Structures are given as C-alpha cells and as structure tokens.
Amino acid sequence: MSDSSAGHDDAQELPAAALAAFREAVGEAHVVIDAGTRRRYETATFATSARVPAIVRPGSVAEVQQCLQVANAHGVPVYPVSTGLNTGYGSAVPARSGCVVLELRRLDRILDYDPGLGCVTIEPGVTQEQLFRFLQERDAPFWLDVTGAYPGHSLIGNIAERGFGHTTYSDHYAHLGAMEVVLPQGELVGTGFGQYRDAKATGYYRWGLGPHFDGLFTQSNLGIIVKATLWLMPRPAYTQFFAARVDRDEDLPLLIEALKPLRLDGTITSAMHIGNDYKVISAIQGYPWEAAGGETPLPRDVLAAKSKEWDCGPWNASGALYGTRAEVALARRKLKAALKGKVSRLQFLDERLLGLAKRFARPYSWLTGLNLNEMLKMVEPVFGMTRGVPSAGMLPSNYWRKPGPLPAVSPDLSPEADRCGVFWIAPVAPTSGAHAAAVWAIVRDTMLHRGFEPAVSITLLTERTLDCVVNISYDRDVPGEDERAMACHDALLERLCAEGYYPYRLGIQSSGKMPPREAGWERLMAGLRRELDPNGILAPGRYLD
Amino acid sequence: MSDSSAGHDDAQELPAAALAAFREAVGEAHVVIDAGTRRRYETATFATSARVPAIVRPGSVAEVQQCLQVANAHGVPVYPVSTGLNTGYGSAVPARSGCVVLELRRLDRILDYDPGLGCVTIEPGVTQEQLFRFLQERDAPFWLDVTGAYPGHSLIGNIAERGFGHTTYSDHYAHLGAMEVVLPQGELVGTGFGQYRDAKATGYYRWGLGPHFDGLFTQSNLGIIVKATLWLMPRPAYTQFFAARVDRDEDLPLLIEALKPLRLDGTITSAMHIGNDYKVISAIQGYPWEAAGGETPLPRDVLAAKSKEWDCGPWNASGALYGTRAEVALARRKLKAALKGKVSRLQFLDERLLGLAKRFARPYSWLTGLNLNEMLKMVEPVFGMTRGVPSAGMLPSNYWRKPGPLPAVSPDLSPEADRCGVFWIAPVAPTSGAHAAAVWAIVRDTMLHRGFEPAVSITLLTERTLDCVVNISYDRDVPGEDERAMACHDALLERLCAEGYYPYRLGIQSSGKMPPREAGWERLMAGLRRELDPNGILAPGRYLD
C-alpha cells in the first residue's frame, strides 16, 4: 500500500483502455477522475491509505453489469458503494488501494410498493429519507426502520452490512423479501423465488425453493445487490416511548436481566438501546474542553457534573411499545413490574405528551431538571426513530472532540471532510447481565487507559443477543491522534475477540486484524471467491480476500 | 434408471472395495445390504424406481466425514437422510438410483440446552418426541414447534426441508441459531459465528460475521447438516385455541382477507391453518366406501353428509393466541371484530375447557352436534400442536383411501410399508383472498377431474404468505392408481407453476418436473455444485443436479 501522506502517483491511475471502457459503459460524465473528488473518496473518519483511481457511477443494472465486464477484461478491481456513507467503518474508502469506486447512487428508483402487505422494492441509491417521504406522501399504513446515521444513507447499503435500527423491524437483513444481485463476472441473479421470472411470491416468501443464499451477498465481496424487496412494519395504532435508567454503573447487569425476558417473549419488540453517560452526553453537546481544563479523557468529576446537568444515569435504556392503546397499557404494566426496584426512574412518552412538553416546557414536562429544550432535541429524534422517522440529529455527535461548539444539525454534515475521528466496533454477546458487564469492562478499561471516552450503547438487538456499539471519537487534527486512536481500536478489537466477543460487522480498519477463522470456513469461502470471482476484481479484502 | 418392477440386480450392488471401506468407516453392523431392508428404503408412498445398494449408518460426525471420503474415493453417491420420514415427498428414497442411503439416526444427542435463552443444540437423529420429552422432564419454560407428521421425525431433517408447524416459531428454518455442516468432500464447517471456535454468540446471533450462508445447506445437496442450534419459543402464560369456519366455498377469500391484517401485525403469531371439508373429514375417518357406493372421487352428497356429521364447513380455520390472560383477551376481541359477519362460527378452547369437554361431553361441551368424542380425537392433537406437543394423531389420515377402518393411532404406522398412496404439493402465494381462490380453483378442478379428493389446508405461513398444502391420497394396491396419481401430481404441479404458484419444497417426485429456472440462477448453482462436490457424490438430483 502507498503511504497515506503521498499524493496521487501515476501507478494509481487507470490504464487508458480501462478508463475508456468505463466511459463507454456509463457515459463520460459518470466517470470521475479529478484529484479533489478522488481524495474525497479516499477519506474516512480515520487514517486510510487506499488510493482511488476513479469513481464510476452506473445509471442502470445493465451498466453495473458492463462495469464488471470492464473490470474483468482490464483486471481493474472495483469497490461498490451505494451512497458511501459508512461512517466509522470506512465511509466510501476501498479496503485495498487501486480499486475504482463503483458508486450506485444513480440507481435510486422505488420500483414497486404493495400497500396491502407492506413490501417495497428499491434500488441501492434509495435513501432512508427518500423512502420515508414516499410512505408519508401516501399516508402509508407502514413504517420503514431507520438507523441513527445519515437520513441520506442507502437502505440497501445498510442491509448489505446487516445494520439495525429501532423498531420491531430493526434487524434489517431479517426483513428482506428478495434481492437481485450482479455477480463478479457480470451475471444477474435473483434470490428466493427470483429463480422463476413469473413467481407470484417473489419478495413475499423469502426462502424460495432450493438453497437459500441471499446472505452470501451481505458482508462480502461475492456480488453487488442492485435491487431488494424490503418488508415494512405495519404502523401500530399507538406507540409509547419509554426511558429507564440505573444510578450505579454496577447495576447494568440488573437492568439487562430485567429486560431480557420481555425482549425474549416479545413484550418488547423494538431493538432497545441502553446508552451510557458518555454516549448520552456526547449526543447532546461537544467535549467540555473548558470544564475539563483541556484534558482528555473526560475527567470523572466533569462526567459527573455533566450527567447531573443532562439528567442521565450511568446507563439509560430506551425503547418503544407498540399496539393498540390497550395492548400498550398491558405491556407497560409488565415493563413496570419487571423494572420495579431495579431502576431509579422509568418514564413514558407519547406523541401527545411530547407535544405538551414542547409547548409547556416547565410545568407540564415529563422530564424534570435543567435544559429541557436541549434534552428534547435529543429525545425527539430518538422517539422519532422508534416510529421510523429518519433524523440527522445524531450527526453532530461525530464532532465530539472537535474544538468549539457542535455544528448545527444538518444532513449535509461531512465528518470525513471535517476531519472528525470516528471508529465503530460492535461486539455481539448472548443477552445476559454477565456478558454485558464483561464486554463493558473490556471497553471501559481499554479505552480509558488509552485516553478515549468509552461511549457505548448496548442494543438488545434480537430476542437473544445484545450488541455493544462502541464509539471511539477523536480529532484528526490533533497530531498523533490518528495513530493513538487506531492503536486503541486495534487493542480493543483484539481483547474483545480474545474473550469471544466478536463484532457483528467490520469496518475496513478491522478486516485485516481479525483472528484466523476455522480452516474449513476459510477454505469454503476461498472456494466461493475462486468460483465467483476468478479474477479477484470485486472489492478485494472486503470481508473476504 | 432401472424399471421399478425389477428385482435387485448386480449392477446396483456396491463394488466390494467401496463396501469394505464403508464397513471400515462405520463398523460392519452399521452397513446394511440385505434385500429386505434395501427394498424398504426404496419404498415411498408412490411409485419410485431408485435402487439402494446399501444403507450406511454413521455414529459420529467423524464417521459422516469418513463416509464422504469413501464416497469420493470410490465414486459412490450417497443420499443423506436423518430419520427418513419424509412421507409424501419421497420418504428415504434417493432422488437417483444407485445412491447409498446415509442414515443419521444414530447421531441422536441433545448436545446443549440453554434454559435462560431457549437455545438447544442437537444432532440430526434427534426427534420431535425426544426433544419434547427432554423439555417436559425439565419443566422447561420453552416449547419446541412441532409438525403434524411423525413424532419420531428428525427436527434437523425438517429444518433442512424448511418445514413448518403451528406456533409462533412455526417457520423452522427462521428459528435457527447455527449449524455445523459436513461438505461433500468431508470438510466440517460451522455457520454464523461458528467460524470462530470460541465465539460466545454462536447459536444466539445467527448471521455471524461475513457472508451468511447456512441456507445453502437447506433444500440442497451442498452439505450434510450434522448439528444445529434451534431457538425455542418462550412458553406463554396462557394459550387459547380458536376455530372459525365459513359455510360457503366462495367465502374463502373473505376469510383470508379478514385474517390477513391480524397475521401481518402480529395479533396472530401462530401459523394459522385453514382446512377444507375434504381435509377435515380425511383427518377423522377413512373413505366412506359404503356411502359412496364404492365410487371415487367422493360424491358431492356424501361430502355434504359427512360435513354435517363432523360439523365442518367448506373452510375451517384454526390457530392459537398466546400471552397473558389479559393479552389473549385483547387479541380475542380483535379476532372477533375482524371475523364478525364473515364467519358462521368462531369458537375458543383452552386447556380448562378441553378438560371439561372430555369429562362432560354433552352438557358442557364447546362443540355441539354429534360424535363429540371422535371430534375431540382430532381437536386435541391439533390444539396440542399449537402448544408444541407432538402427536401421531394425523398419521392414520394417510390411509384415507385404503379399504376398511382407519388403523389405530400409533407412531409405528408405516404408510410406505402399508402401500398407502400419498403425495404432497405445497404452492406458495402472497397472502390474499384472490390468490387463495386462484390456487384453490386450480387444485380443485385438476384433482376432481382426475378422480382424487382435493384435500387442502391453507396455512398463513408467514406474515405475508400463504402456503396451500395439497394432499393427493390413494391406494397403491388398486391397479393403475400409482400411474393415475402421478399423472394428477404432474398435471397439478405444471398448472400451479404455469400460474406462478411455485411450491416451497419438492419431493423427489417433483424435482425433475419443474420449469427451467433463470439462467443466471442455474449457472450459479451449477458453479457451487462444481466447487463443493466435484465428483457429484452428494445426493445427485436432490434439488440440484
């Protein structure tokens, strides 16, 4: 790999014949080779070294196929991204140097929508915001599930990484009807019942007939998803948001154990999130440089003061209950009983109460204490996400360690361009208080020791597993921080894996640093790569070599 | 293929070296070559022609691996079955002649059980009955999901075929944590987080890291599942069984449309079954030869009389509501409102009421009319299945067209040995009244025209799809019926596929008769076969060539 500080050298330029062929495939306007743009696609929220010789933007599935044919014919690897907003995991930067970025944002059509059964068929350029508006315009009785990242990120891109959100349909890959995929050599394949062009159940019944294999094209470089049918959550009659907290760090296991049976038996169907104090504070404000006297990591007393100011505990759970009012009332009673004596506070919020809180901040507010308006700024997008409303509200939190006040909320913020430092690492464990405590101890000790705030949210991701989403934030403009943060990332990843807590997805910063997998698994994957991509032109190094 | 009436010829015997190698691998006692046993493994519930040179029964995963090495070394194809009770789809009969049956029933250990999160790890020989007893003995707070087939059938075998049952966890393949698979050349691979030997979340978090591919080993010949972690349904506080019916055949769409929103929004989480009159009657009694004057198919007037006698309508829905008593009461209210004015009867049953009905058949019974005790014989196992209780109660229905009274309920019944004729075909459609009616019209017209009773149950299999499970029953001892029934099967399959209603699984009778799939799909699968099974020794012709 080339040195990260080096400029663009000739060796990273596309051979003229390949460049001409890509232009032929997608049109000259959609092949970008200017240095500034290339640099942008080489920039993540951490140090990277991959060079991008060109960005190619096909406008149709046929053009995607042609691009792969060009790649094979000219031996030029391509790195597909949908909208490329994979912040904290590498953004649009290829896993290896020399890859042409194949950006799919021009494929942005909503191809089909079934208002009876809540299925929508989309292309990879379709964003959270776009589908949200589409459903709003139709007053659809269905919600999409959104993530807290960019409103403008690709839904298919997130499925491909098996991301998750906040509602009953939070596990995005689990709520998928069918895909169409372009294989590395350019062939188009439908998954599930897509094997038959005229099958009525394609997109409705996922497994199809014969081997079920759509997952081969998630977290992999075995194909490019160019179309997907997503399942949408039926809009419930009523939603009640809830928030609970414990006052002592050591009560985390208690909280997890209390919530576990409710998540397992379906009383709580939303992917509950349990954020720690660092996480909550960094979602509301920038680093309190003054109070901290310029020190990092955040001094304990400043953390305590900020927790008090923002009225958060060491662990703060939130989620939503869905159903008719009567159904939600029953679930609420169960939740209260389960948490009784275990949490220091349990609060509920619905749309009506939120409206009241906004109008009469003081006397009628459900939250007590200071800074209510500021807190509502955070609560409102989180509550919105439990109802499928995308929000840019979390974007400023990428600027935690940057000097000065946080930027205003805007979907156009670019933490990459603004030299924010952000890593995500997200280890998975069976849902249990003991596992949660073990993961948290590793994260806390490793990060504090290395000078970073252990901002964490623990998600009760499925009925049986939790995912501890760890955020390493820093300022790339501070000399040496890129290296220190990467060293912290590497140490944390190594310790988590050594204890058996492997991540559910990988950023490009993590791929090459994972422990070796079982030999049979490695050989099977190598065989599939060899069979499907004999020239190794599709995203080499992305999950698989 | 050899003629189905031919005896065992030398050509179908194993080469001596291969036989010796299999004996070496599993021990002489576990390689069976006597003609009687071989004949039994060549017998399904319809005409077959495949010859089985031997049955080999490995006793461990290592022995399964050795058997595949033998198969590769000697060029002898093997056909794996778990317990081989795939009645109506080919039982244990290989898809092609000359395959050694690799029977896995000796791998019958329950390897691990997590009573906190309801995960159980089993081998392919573990049966429904065995796991049921295991959970009963521990008073486990979890249920397994059972099918109405043999209590002694393999749980993994059913997952491999993506079968379904009756509870919230009815879609068996959807409730799977991880697998271990022996690939065709003998290599062992773990799916999901099984890629790391020490991952804590293996079996809990299904997708693992990197490509998700466990479905490659379902409905395929790409590997042999030797271990699986199943998720179990948390036992609800209360279960209420319900039964509804319509009185006119043409009201089927109305019934489907009324239930559809409740299935979609999770009010009904069980896989509801809607059986027609033929289905109900054939579940209770044998063919009324006398009333029908020896005629087939069943005359309309006899059907009407029997429907009256057994108190069933042309379409009879049943399912279960789960939760606390209060939750179930709410769901019950929703169900009543949804069905109001659309069904002629809606009845509820719980354990208490069932007990009462059994004790005081007449005055306190929930069912009115005749033959209450006989009806309870059917209701009890169906109600039991919604609570994870396996039953042999449906086995006698395989004897529908046999002369004389139905045999007594017993798990040892062998419809294959008793020359019962049974085919299953199970086309899938998006859940809608119109699709249900369209599928039903094809089934009814094709089958009646060809002289078979169209016994059907329509299952609301997932939130968005229905599966019309069609049963073709006949008596193999009636000359010409094997051919007529197969012709009916073929005609029905062809018409269903022509209309876009493809089946969710295939028996060996159907595989070679499916319309061609999309070229890209075929080439992808052929490539995987070539890569994983270059010698073509694993179950050739089973789903893939």
Side-chain angles (χ1 to χ4, degrees):
Chain A
M1 283 193 200
S2 41
D3 171 18
S4 69
S5 62
H8 286 94
D9 51 16
D10 286 352
Q12 292 301 341
E13 278 180 15
L14 274 189
L19 180 62
F22 278 122
R23 284 177 168 160
E24 171 91 8
V26 303
E28 197 158 338
H30 303 297
V31 178
V32 182
I33 53 167
D34 76 272
T37 308
R38 287 157 69 184
R39 177 60 73 185
R40 189 150 59 81
Y41 284 80
E42 292 164 355
T43 307
T45 52
F46 47 81
T48 56
S49 57
R51 292 281 166 266
V52 173
I55 298 96
V56 175
R57 299 187 178 119
S60 68
V61 172
E63 287 184 12
V64 173
Q65 295 179 278
Q66 284 162 40
C67 286
L68 287 177
Q69 281 149 14
V70 171
N72 277 285
H74 295 269
V76 175
V78 296
Y79 189 82
V81 300
S82 300
T83 52
L85 298 173
N86 200 14
T87 303
Y89 291 106
S91 307
V93 184
R96 296 265 170 83
S97 205
C99 290
V100 165
V101 170
L102 196 68
E103 192 177 55
L104 307 177
R105 52 171 83 224
R106 290 177 62 216
L107 281 77
D108 64 354
R109 289 177 303 164
I110 296 173
L111 297 164
D112 191 47
Y113 165 60
D114 176 348
L117 287 166
C119 298
V120 63
T121 303
I122 59 173
E123 292 187 319
V126 173
T127 69
Q128 302 198 93
E129 183 66 30
Q130 184 184 351
L131 182 57
F132 174 71
R133 284 209 197 117
F134 176 92
L135 295 172
Q136 289 281 103
E137 281 160 13
R138 280 153 189 80
D139 191 23
F142 293 97
W143 286 345
L144 76 160
D145 186 275
V146 299
T147 75
Y150 291 89
H153 83 52
S154 159
L155 293 160
I156 287 183
N158 192 263
I159 288 173
E161 291 294 309
R162 301 200 295 258
F164 53 86
H166 301 257
T167 71
T168 304
Y169 280 41
S170 61
D171 185 352
H172 295 166
Y173 170 62
H175 293 91
L176 178 74
M179 288 179 183
E180 285 185 20
V181 177
V182 177
L183 300 181
Q185 297 199 282
E187 185 132 52
L188 186 66
V189 172
T191 70
F193 271 128
Q195 65 194 279
Y196 296 110
R197 192 181 300 270
D198 62 346
K200 297 262 196 326
T202 305
Y204 295 89
Y205 184 72
R206 180 177 188 177
W207 315 135
L209 182 64
H212 165 240
F213 59 83
D214 57 28
L216 278 182
F217 309 107
T218 58
Q219 297 192 359
S220 87
N221 46 15
L222 297 169
I224 301 175
I225 307 169
V226 291
K227 188 168 144 183
T229 301
L230 278 53
W231 294 333
L232 302 170
M233 176 179 166
R235 186 180 60 201
Y238 178 63
T239 301
Q240 194 160 54
F241 181 77
F242 64 89
R245 69 180 234 203
V246 292
D247 280 343
R248 302 184 315 164
D249 185 43
E250 57 268 37
D251 286 344
L252 172 64
L254 203 71
L255 179 62
I256 300 278
E257 288 296 324
L259 293 169
K260 172 176 154 176
L262 303 182
R263 186 74 178 94
L264 185 61
D265 76 6
T267 303
I268 298 173
T269 57
S270 73
M272 285 204 38
H273 299 277
I274 306 170
N276 70 357
D277 38 17
Y278 293 106
K279 180 79 185 176
V280 173
I281 293 164
S282 63
I284 308 178
Q285 65 158 73
Y287 195 88
W289 289 110
E290 201 174 308
E295 249 182 71
T296 57
L298 195 65
R300 293 297 304 173
D301 61 324
V302 182
L303 176 69
K306 286 288 160 192
S307 296
K308 201 169 169 197
E309 183 181 347
W310 298 118
D311 197 35
C312 67
W315 295 101
N316 310 275
S318 69
L321 305 172
Y322 302 112
T324 59
R325 278 186 174 267
E327 286 166 342
V328 168
L330 289 181
R332 180 176 158 142
R333 210 171 302 159
K334 271 180 162 176
L335 181 63
K336 278 184 169 176
L339 294 182
K340 194 176 177 183
K342 290 171 185 161
V343 296
S344 66
R345 197 178 298 172
L346 174 59
Q347 292 164 303
F348 293 90
L349 179 70
D350 61 12
E351 284 190 87
R352 194 177 136 271
L353 201 56
L354 180 66
L356 280 177
K358 282 162 77 178
R359 281 175 60 203
F360 309 104
R362 192 162 297 273
Y364 299 100
S365 120
W366 72 291
L367 285 163
T368 55
L370 303 163
N371 290 313
L372 178 60
N373 283 323
E374 283 301 308
M375 275 189 256
L376 284 177
K377 270 190 208 163
M378 184 187 59
V379 168
E380 204 173 348
V382 174
F383 180 34
M385 285 188 282
T386 67
R387 290 172 295 135
V389 184
S391 167
M394 293 296 161
L395 282 182
S397 69
N398 290 305
Y399 293 73
W400 166 244
R401 282 274 196 104
K402 301 298 283 186
L406 287 189
V409 171
S410 158
D412 300 323
L413 287 175
S414 173
E416 291 84 359
D418 294 336
R419 294 190 55 78
C420 299
V422 182
F423 285 103
W424 294 100
I425 304 179
V428 184
T431 300
S432 88
H435 283 305
V439 172
W440 166 233
I442 295 169
V443 172
R444 181 192 57 212
D445 296 351
T446 308
M447 289 185 66
L448 287 177
H449 175 68
R450 287 171 179 269
F452 298 93
E453 293 74 36
V456 155
S457 77
I458 294 175
T459 300
L460 301 193
L461 178 54
T462 71
E463 285 91 338
R464 291 170 175 79
T465 49
L466 57 84
D467 191 318
C468 182
V469 182
V470 182
N471 179 221
I472 307 177
S473 275
Y474 66 103
D475 181 359
R476 296 196 66 196
D477 285 329
V478 174
E481 283 286 86
D482 263 345
E483 292 72 21
R484 283 189 290 272
M486 187 67 89
C488 179
H489 163 276
D490 293 358
L492 183 55
L493 185 68
E494 191 184 344
R495 276 200 64 192
L496 288 168
C497 293
E499 296 299 323
Y501 300 115
Y502 293 87
Y504 90 99
R505 78 197 264 191
L506 294 179
I508 60 165
Q509 74 275 20
S510 311
S511 265
K513 298 164 184 170
M514 294 296 290
R517 287 165 291 212
E518 294 292 297
W521 196 95
E522 292 281 10
R523 277 193 287 266
L524 173 59
M525 288 301 120
L528 295 184
R529 277 286 289 164
R530 202 167 47 231
E531 170 61 29
L532 296 179
D533 189 6
N535 301 317
I537 55 84
L538 188 60
R542 186 67 181 135
Y543 287 100
L544 303 174
D545 281 333
Chain B
M1 285 193 200
S2 42
D3 171 19
S4 68
S5 61
H8 286 95
D9 51 16
D10 286 351
Q12 292 302 340
E13 278 180 16
L14 274 189
L19 180 61
F22 278 122
R23 284 176 168 161
E24 172 92 11
V26 303
E28 196 158 338
H30 302 297
V31 177
V32 182
I33 54 166
D34 76 272
T37 308
R38 286 157 68 184
R39 176 61 71 187
R40 187 149 61 80
Y41 284 81
E42 292 164 354
T43 306
T45 52
F46 47 80
T48 56
S49 58
R51 292 282 165 264
V52 173
I55 300 95
V56 174
R57 299 187 178 119
S60 67
V61 172
E63 287 184 10
V64 173
Q65 295 179 275
Q66 283 162 40
C67 286
L68 287 177
Q69 280 148 16
V70 171
N72 277 284
H74 294 269
V76 174
V78 297
Y79 189 83
V81 300
S82 300
T83 53
L85 297 173
N86 200 15
T87 301
Y89 292 105
S91 307
V93 184
R96 296 264 169 83
S97 205
C99 289
V100 165
V101 170
L102 196 69
E103 192 176 57
L104 307 176
R105 52 171 83 224
R106 290 177 63 216
L107 281 76
D108 63 355
R109 290 177 301 164
I110 295 173
L111 298 164
D112 191 48
Y113 165 60
D114 176 348
L117 287 167
C119 298
V120 64
T121 302
I122 60 172
E123 291 187 320
V126 174
T127 68
Q128 302 198 93
E129 184 66 29
Q130 184 184 351
L131 183 56
F132 174 72
R133 284 210 197 116
F134 176 92
L135 295 172
Q136 288 282 103
E137 280 160 13
R138 280 153 189 79
D139 192 23
F142 293 97
W143 286 346
L144 77 159
D145 186 276
V146 298
T147 75
Y150 291 88
H153 84 52
S154 158
L155 292 161
I156 287 183
N158 192 263
I159 287 173
E161 292 294 310
R162 300 200 297 256
F164 54 86
H166 300 258
T167 71
T168 304
Y169 281 41
S170 61
D171 184 354
H172 295 164
Y173 170 63
H175 293 91
L176 178 74
M179 288 179 183
E180 284 185 20
V181 178
V182 177
L183 300 182
Q185 299 201 282
E187 185 132 53
L188 186 66
V189 173
T191 69
F193 271 127
Q195 65 194 278
Y196 296 108
R197 192 182 302 270
D198 62 346
K200 298 265 198 320
T202 305
Y204 296 89
Y205 184 71
R206 179 175 189 178
W207 314 137
L209 183 63
H212 165 241
F213 59 84
D214 57 28
L216 278 182
F217 308 107
T218 59
Q219 297 192 358
S220 86
N221 47 13
L222 297 168
I224 301 175
I225 307 169
V226 291
K227 187 169 144 184
T229 301
L230 279 53
W231 294 333
L232 301 169
M233 175 178 166
R235 186 181 60 201
Y238 178 62
T239 302
Q240 196 161 51
F241 181 77
F242 64 88
R245 68 180 234 202
V246 292
D247 280 342
R248 303 185 313 165
D249 186 43
E250 57 268 39
D251 286 344
L252 173 64
L254 203 70
L255 180 62
I256 300 278
E257 287 296 324
L259 293 169
K260 171 176 157 177
L262 303 182
R263 186 74 177 95
L264 184 62
D265 77 5
T267 304
I268 299 173
T269 57
S270 74
M272 286 204 37
H273 298 278
I274 305 169
N276 69 357
D277 37 17
Y278 292 105
K279 181 80 185 173
V280 172
I281 293 165
S282 63
I284 308 178
Q285 66 158 73
Y287 195 89
W289 289 110
E290 201 173 307
E295 248 183 69
T296 58
L298 195 64
R300 292 297 305 173
D301 61 325
V302 182
L303 176 69
K306 286 288 161 192
S307 295
K308 201 168 170 199
E309 181 180 350
W310 298 119
D311 198 33
C312 68
W315 294 100
N316 310 275
S318 70
L321 304 172
Y322 303 112
T324 61
R325 279 187 174 267
E327 286 167 342
V328 169
L330 289 181
R332 180 177 157 141
R333 209 170 305 159
K334 270 180 163 176
L335 180 63
K336 278 184 167 175
L339 295 182
K340 196 175 176 182
K342 290 171 185 162
V343 295
S344 66
R345 197 177 298 172
L346 174 60
Q347 292 164 305
F348 293 90
L349 179 70
D350 61 13
E351 285 190 86
R352 194 178 135 273
L353 201 55
L354 179 66
L356 281 176
K358 283 162 76 178
R359 284 173 59 203
F360 310 104
R362 191 160 297 273
Y364 298 102
S365 118
W366 72 292
L367 286 163
T368 56
L370 305 163
N371 290 312
L372 178 59
N373 283 324
E374 283 301 308
M375 274 189 257
L376 284 176
K377 269 190 209 162
M378 184 188 61
V379 168
E380 204 174 349
V382 173
F383 180 34
M385 285 189 282
T386 66
R387 288 172 298 136
V389 184
S391 167
M394 294 297 161
L395 281 182
S397 68
N398 290 305
Y399 293 71
W400 165 246
R401 282 274 196 103
K402 300 299 282 185
L406 288 189
V409 171
S410 158
D412 300 325
L413 287 174
S414 173
E416 291 84 359
D418 295 335
R419 295 191 53 78
C420 299
V422 182
F423 285 103
W424 295 100
I425 305 179
V428 184
T431 300
S432 87
H435 283 305
V439 172
W440 167 234
I442 296 170
V443 172
R444 182 191 56 213
D445 295 351
T446 307
M447 289 186 66
L448 287 178
H449 175 68
R450 287 169 180 269
F452 297 94
E453 293 74 36
V456 155
S457 78
I458 294 175
T459 299
L460 301 193
L461 178 54
T462 71
E463 285 90 338
R464 291 172 175 78
T465 49
L466 57 84
D467 192 318
C468 182
V469 182
V470 181
N471 180 218
I472 307 178
S473 274
Y474 66 103
D475 181 359
R476 295 197 66 196
D477 284 330
V478 173
E481 283 286 87
D482 263 346
E483 293 71 21
R484 283 188 291 273
M486 187 67 89
C488 179
H489 164 276
D490 294 356
L492 183 54
L493 186 67
E494 191 184 343
R495 274 199 64 189
L496 288 168
C497 293
E499 297 298 323
Y501 299 116
Y502 293 87
Y504 89 100
R505 79 198 263 187
L506 294 179
I508 60 164
Q509 73 275 19
S510 311
S511 266
K513 298 164 184 170
M514 295 296 292
R517 286 165 294 212
E518 294 291 299
W521 195 96
E522 292 281 11
R523 277 193 287 267
L524 173 60
M525 289 301 121
L528 295 184
R529 277 287 288 165
R530 200 165 50 232
E531 169 62 29
L532 295 179
D533 189 5
N535 301 316
I537 55 84
L538 187 59
R542 186 67 181 135
Y543 286 100
L544 304 175
D545 282 331

